[in-house]
Amino acid sequence: MNGSASGYVAVILLCCFTSLSHGVVFSEDRWLKPESAEHPAPAATQSPGSIVQAGYGVIQRMLGEEYTGNFTLCHIELNAGENDTFELRQSPAGQIEICGTNGVALAKGFYWYLRKYCNATVTWGHHGTGDNLELPAPLPAVAKTVRVSSSVKWRYYMNVCTVSYSSAWWDWRRWEREIDWMAMHGINLPLAFTGQEYVVAEYYLSLGMTEKELQAYFSGPAFLAWNRMGNIRGWAGPLTPDNRRAQFELQLQSLVRMRALGMTPVLSGFSGHVPAALARIMPGVKLTLSHGWNHFNSTFTGVRLLDPTDKHFVPLAKGYYEMQESLMGTDHVYNVDTFNEMVPSSSDPHYLANTSAAVYQGMHAADPQGVWLMQGWLFRNSFWTEKTVKPYLDAVPSSNMIILDLYTEQSPMWSRFDSYYGKPFIWCMLHNFGGRRSLCGNLSRIATGPAADRLVSTMNGIGLTPEAIEQNPVVYEMMLETGWTTEAIDVPSWITDYVYGRYGAAGRNPLLQEAWVQLTASVYQFNFADTFLGILHKSPKIPNAQSRHAQYAEPLYPSSPGADGHSQRQRAYTSLRYGVSGVPAAWRSMVAGVTEVQHFGHISGPLSYDVVDVGRQVLVDTHNDLVTLVSAAYLRWLEDGKDTSAELAAVGKALLTIVREIDMLLLTDPNYLLGNWLETAKSWGTSDVERRRMELNARYQVTLWGPGGQIDDYAEKHWAGLVGTYYYGRWNMWLTTLQNAVKTGKHVDTKTYSSELLSWEQNWCQSNESHATEHAPGVVTVSQHLVRTWAIAPPTQYKLVPNTVVSKFDIHAGTALVSRDIAQMKVLCDLEPLCVGFISTGYLKTAVDERKALQGCDLYVKVA
């Protein structure tokens, strides 16, 4: 199905030993290895010819056979003190000559040529729709030799969650594409976690466990990341032997390609998270039962952790590494996270030192060259202080450990713990959680942080560690360039070049350039944690006097008034750390720009992707404001007994309309389709039952996550089909419930409502209706319609009264609108029957009397 390795043969057991005093023998006949599992020699021993061949392969796959003759490749040696290096020059025969120290350097040199000389880009996109590869003819010459070396040893890629949130359903075609993308962006240290369950299963079966016991341990394929980290077990399973083998075969293909390009794939290490059945085959083994994780009950949590100080830990770890090497080979770097989002059972420094020493010793016993790659995420917990971190790290040689400072762009740990007390670390950009959609990214921090921090720390790499990919490509393009420069990046000029490269000739349109100036000055100056995700994807709650909003269960703001008559917390909220006011302006510019450049041809690819993405963000933000207005109307009935049926009808209609129109916009681009996620999931099933299980995995992950809504909507996606059915259905149920309450005069029974809503959500997850896998044409027409509807001022006349505030008469007391764009606020005021005006800090008004002077706040009054 995904490119198979056939013809299984037994291999000789590398290590046969009896578990200490318990008579458990490793069985030879369980160690099976595909014939094609033989891996190429490490990059350091690859021949120049194989390195060049790998480089030509990238060019051929990206541009086609017809372009390969325009390039000539060669291998060069590293100079003393250099990291990966490439050179560009014009050959005597008129070809573009690219020379590199390995396949990654050649591919990076190739992409450097595309970016700097051809204004081309390669970014994420369904079936290549993120690329602009319209190259000039003839290809531009390289006027003088260029030599570029990486500023750091390592360029790392992937979070342990990425393999579930993004690549859970990838086949070889998709992996091949991603590996080429990695190489062209200079990545040389990729996480390679696919198929490890095959190794785990073979290992424990060889120890005497049964398939049934393993099935109780493994989660379903969409949730393997958290099974591997010891958070959950069994949920959405079983994970069948056929699936484990197919994933393993896919891993073998990926490893061969990564190694051919000179990458160092990071394999899984032995962390000590084990099936409960280990206690049966090793009586007396010291296992710790993990506490419940994120409200999962004991059925799906309570994973066993083998205490690293137990006498069995090192031998078991050694056996695991040896089996993995026999099946996958090794490049001597292993990711191990024993206490990810979990707290050790003791804070005693000796215990912690012994714990990390045991993890390392198990690795070292099997692979004396082994390097422990650790995510530094655990150190964010308050448990970890200098007194606990230092002994934990000091027990491992610095030459055998690398730490991923996982969230450096927002919350660096290296500066808190003195450069990890001498351990080398990788400066990482986490950026995204769960694949949730939001335009965001701190470009200024990315442009300057790595270059500055490298000079004052033990930093030896840069990395991308998002929980999910295929979003905000501009942020990732810039971050990866920091690995190939020692200087800070000039953001404005970089953005200008990025737009040229992303859109080709259309990128010179001044309206499209202006759109990116507005985006760069707003949403791309903020980290993910500072952004506003909206609540389109949130399971709607019934507003009450304390929450005042459909999303929140607690009061949003304290009651202390500020100078403008609103609370201090409100004022903080309205300061717009998110920078949302720039997004509607950017959307208007972008849609006007694509309208002008249609003569270049059909609007598709990166330009279509961005038009939809920016429009999606504006509409999601506007949806939040409509929810605020509906909630306010319901609360006026709840608190004051006023009949607000007319307001609920008017604003509620707009609320459901915008949800449908978000779905309509998303449907115009192939990168925003639920159907593709579901169909690729089902493609991994080998029977109707398996296909149904795969679809259930896919549906639950992006909605309820757990069976009863544990971590619900954490991995939300703004996809056509998901918005139009799941999100629309929930908001329709919520609105109908509020309207019925006002109509009948009976308060909502919130427990009944929540139970019925959960039941509806579960039914959706367990359904199997199909969704579009092909986009609908018309991105420009649809975008023009939506801009006119939601982002251009209506014909109603408003009088501007500058530097004036009205502190009373709020329609939506206690909650400021997200929107600050004046045209959008006029749209919202026209939709709300009670609105006679608004102030520019985000409040619609039922009256505009009792005005006060306030610098920086403008009043807009409807003209009768």
Side-chain angles (χ1 to χ4, degrees), residues 50-68:
S50 64
I51 291 171
V52 168
Q53 183 181 10
Y56 275 122
V58 174
I59 295 174
Q60 181 178 342
R61 288 187 294 274
M62 294 309 303
L63 299 183
E65 185 70 39
E66 65 272 22
Y67 271 95
T68 56

Side-chain angles (χ1 to χ4, degrees), residues 459-475:
M459 169 186 161
N460 74 342
I462 59 100
L464 302 181
T465 53
E467 287 192 352
I469 59 172
E470 298 173 322
Q471 39 76 31
N472 289 288
V474 63
V475 181

Side-chain angles (χ1 to χ4, degrees), residues 7-16 27-38 198 202 322-328:
Y8 284 73
V9 295
V11 299
I12 297 175
L13 182 63
L14 297 180
C15 172
C16 233
S27 169
E28 287 188 22
D29 61 4
R30 289 301 316 165
W31 286 44
L32 301 176
K33 174 183 178 182
E35 292 176 341
S36 64
E38 298 300 333
Y198 181 84
E202 294 300 298
E322 288 175 337
M323 174 169 276
Q324 181 172 251
E325 182 174 358
S326 77
L327 294 171
M328 296 183 179

Side-chain angles (χ1 to χ4, degrees), residues 88 112-120 136 140-144 146:
L88 297 178
W112 186 282
Y113 175 75
L114 293 181
R115 288 279 283 117
K116 306 294 184 180
Y117 293 84
C118 301
N119 282 327
V142 179
K144 62 178 183 178
V146 175

Side-chain angles (χ1 to χ4, degrees), residues 226 231-232 291-296 301 341-342 705 710-711:
W226 302 275
N231 302 130
I232 59 173
H291 297 294
W293 182 76
N294 275 304
H295 309 293
F296 276 85
T301 188
E341 297 187 359
M342 294 184 288
W705 214 102
Q710 298 87 344
I711 333 180

